[in-house]
Amino acid sequence: MTQSTHFFLGANSGRGFRNLFDRFCAPENHWDLLVLKGGPGAGKSTMMRRIGAAMEERGEQVEYLYCSGDPKSLDGVHIPRIRAAVVDGTAPHVVEPKYPGAVDRYVNLGQFYDIAAAKEQREEIIRHTDACSAAYKRAYRALGAARQMADNAAALAAEGLDGDKLLRRTDGIIGRELRGRGSGGQDAFRFLGSLTCMGPVWRFDSVEALCPRIYQLQDAYGLAAPMLERIRAAARARGFSAVVCPDPEHTERIQHLLLPELGLAFVTSREGMVYDGAAYRRIRLDAMIAPAHLKRCRPHLRFVRRVEEALRQEGLDALREAKACHDALEALYHPHVDFDGVDRCVDRELERLEAAL
């Protein structure tokens, strides 16, 4: 069976919910884009799983895109060969069709709710919905404070970085690894993971599926971005397309870089985001900080790290509370969904997709 891959389009961060849906859902990227609408428990994730599994059974490569609120649920599935995808188009990542019917279209799963039964539970639904929103706000406040601490530590560590050494090491990698010409395809943008209600979840398995050779960048202080930007620029100049994985805290920065045409990847590894697989090469970016500078700053850096971790734990607790509220909402709606109707809807959409195979 063809290898599937797993990424995220959204991430929880100190700047709130960050998402890449606008890049992924650009109509020019798709022949058919299904935008699912419907509230909790309506069957959106179930529909996407059924479509993904059916496409895998037919030998298609499938990309699964997970929900940062609940990494056991899906935000999307993508079948690259036929340029088809299904995405959850509800808040906080609202997606609206740009070329309805011709490219993208709604699939309304909310039609399968028993409206009369939902109205009987109006007060409970409102209470849990508001509690979920409040929990996310608390989470993002705590994660925002944690991000400030992490940024302070990174700025302090960067003062001692040997930039020339980093540049020489980067150019050596480019000269050794980026040979020949690529297909000239477009870059794809995905989050490799996120802080979730289950803690940090990182899908390094997708890196291993796409890239046999992996450079592990051991980087405790967020120093890898300039190296990755330079490698990406060199790859683009040679026509190699990339899977660019931004940092959820700073989406303008690259955190991981995959070059599938070369079977080559560069992954950042640090506490809370540890790559423990087999590495083709390991580069200790922390070793490029002047030892005297690091020794002088170490007590402060340790203090900052303790405060950051405490704040991040507070954010994680709030994310878990938000998940509990969402589960309560699904439990209220679930008994009042016409799942036979949902199944018939899935069957119709599968027939449409299978016609393109």
Side-chain angles (χ1 to χ4, degrees), residues 3-76:
Q3 179 71 56
S4 61
T5 55
H6 309 266
F7 292 96
F8 289 72
L9 286 180
N12 298 306
S13 81
R15 297 185 176 184
F17 178 74
R18 314 294 280 174
N19 82 83
L20 302 172
F21 277 77
D22 57 339
R23 292 180 184 251
F24 176 76
C25 293
E28 59 271 17
N29 294 338
H30 301 285
W31 165 77
D32 196 30
L33 176 64
L34 282 67
V35 180
L36 304 186
K37 296 294 185 177
K44 299 187 296 296
S45 187
T46 299
M47 180 175 183
M48 289 185 278
R49 286 191 186 281
R50 274 196 60 193
I51 289 174
M55 292 294 104
E56 282 197 83
E57 287 176 4
R58 287 154 179 76
E60 293 295 324
Q61 178 189 356
V62 177
E63 180 184 24
Y64 293 92
L65 302 163
Y66 289 86
C67 172
S68 60
D70 176 8
K72 292 183 178 181
S73 295
L74 290 173
D75 273 345

Side-chain angles (χ1 to χ4, degrees), residues 99-179:
Y99 305 112
V103 177
D104 36 13
R105 52 197 169 87
Y106 288 126
V107 176
N108 177 23
L109 297 184
Q111 66 181 300
F112 300 111
Y113 280 143
D114 181 336
I115 301 301
K119 287 189 177 298
E120 289 178 1
Q121 300 177 101
R122 178 178 183 274
E123 299 303 325
E124 282 293 287
I125 289 172
I126 291 173
R127 181 170 68 84
H128 287 300
T129 299
D130 291 349
C132 186
S133 177
Y136 271 115
K137 289 178 181 178
R138 288 197 301 276
Y140 294 143
R141 284 196 295 268
L143 294 178
R147 178 186 59 80
Q148 291 180 352
M149 300 302 291
D151 287 351
N152 288 341
L156 182 59
E159 292 175 4
L161 178 66
D162 187 338
D164 291 337
K165 184 176 182 180
L166 180 64
L167 179 63
R168 290 193 301 272
R169 191 66 182 271
T170 304
D171 287 344
I173 292 170
I174 291 170
R176 183 170 60 252
E177 300 288 2
L178 272 60
R179 299 176 179 273

Side-chain angles (χ1 to χ4, degrees), residues 63-351:
E63 180 184 24
Y64 293 92
L65 302 163
Y66 289 86
C67 172
S68 60
D70 176 8
K72 292 183 178 181
S73 295
L74 290 173
D75 273 345
V77 293
H78 179 213
I79 305 97
R81 189 184 67 82
I82 61 171
R83 298 173 61 224
V86 189
V87 297
D88 179 348
T90 60
H93 37 73
V94 175
V95 178
E96 300 292 346
K98 186 175 181 180
Y99 305 112
V103 177
D104 36 13
R105 52 197 169 87
Y106 288 126
V107 176
N108 177 23
L109 297 184
Q111 66 181 300
F112 300 111
Y113 280 143
D114 181 336
I115 301 301
K119 287 189 177 298
E120 289 178 1
Q121 300 177 101
R122 178 178 183 274
E123 299 303 325
E124 282 293 287
I125 289 172
I126 291 173
R127 181 170 68 84
H128 287 300
T129 299
D130 291 349
C132 186
S133 177
Y136 271 115
K137 289 178 181 178
R138 288 197 301 276
Y140 294 143
R141 284 196 295 268
L143 294 178
R147 178 186 59 80
Q148 291 180 352
M149 300 302 291
D151 287 351
N152 288 341
L156 182 59
E159 292 175 4
L161 178 66
D162 187 338
D164 291 337
K165 184 176 182 180
L166 180 64
L167 179 63
R168 290 193 301 272
R169 191 66 182 271
T170 304
D171 287 344
I173 292 170
I174 291 170
R176 183 170 60 252
E177 300 288 2
L178 272 60
R179 299 176 179 273
R181 302 292 301 180
S183 65
Q186 292 184 338
D187 290 349
F189 290 81
R190 307 285 189 270
F191 290 119
L192 192 60
S194 174
L195 181 66
T196 76
C197 63
M198 298 174 62
V201 175
W202 301 98
R203 297 309 303 251
F204 288 113
D205 54 326
S206 293
V207 181
E208 293 170 344
L210 294 172
C211 303
R213 294 181 298 137
I214 299 174
Y215 277 74
Q216 181 195 49
L217 309 181
Q218 297 174 338
D219 176 21
Y221 303 108
L223 305 175
M227 169 181 271
L228 296 175
E229 292 286 359
R230 193 173 181 87
I231 294 171
R232 182 197 175 197
R236 291 184 66 185
R238 292 161 174 78
F240 294 109
S241 60
V243 179
V244 180
C245 300
D247 182 345
E249 300 292 348
H250 300 277
T251 53
E252 73 282 1
R253 300 178 189 172
I254 301 177
Q255 193 170 61
H256 314 280
L257 182 67
L258 285 60
L259 302 172
E261 290 179 278
L262 292 169
L264 181 67
F266 302 85
V267 300
T268 300
S269 182
R270 62 167 179 261
E271 186 177 352
M273 189 174 64
V274 176
Y275 174 65
D276 57 5
Y280 173 68
R281 294 278 192 277
R282 287 186 172 86
I283 299 177
R284 291 186 58 224
L285 296 184
D286 300 344
M288 297 184 189
I289 303 172
H293 176 78
L294 202 56
K295 182 178 180 181
R296 184 168 60 253
C297 298
R298 187 167 284 119
H300 182 66
L301 291 172
R302 286 175 176 167
F303 168 76
V304 168
R305 181 59 52 85
R306 287 196 300 271
V307 175
E308 178 195 347
E309 287 305 311
L311 289 166
R312 203 170 297 281
Q313 183 60 49
E314 184 177 345
L316 175 57
D317 291 343
L319 290 176
R320 288 172 176 157
E321 184 178 337
K323 173 61 165 58
C325 293
H326 186 79
D327 288 348
L329 279 170
E330 288 197 333
L332 288 170
Y333 278 106
H334 196 270
H336 309 296
V337 176
D338 175 9
F339 284 107
D340 290 337
V342 174
D343 287 341
R344 289 192 295 272
C345 179
V346 176
D347 291 340
R348 287 194 299 271
E349 296 303 339
L350 271 173
E351 288 179 10

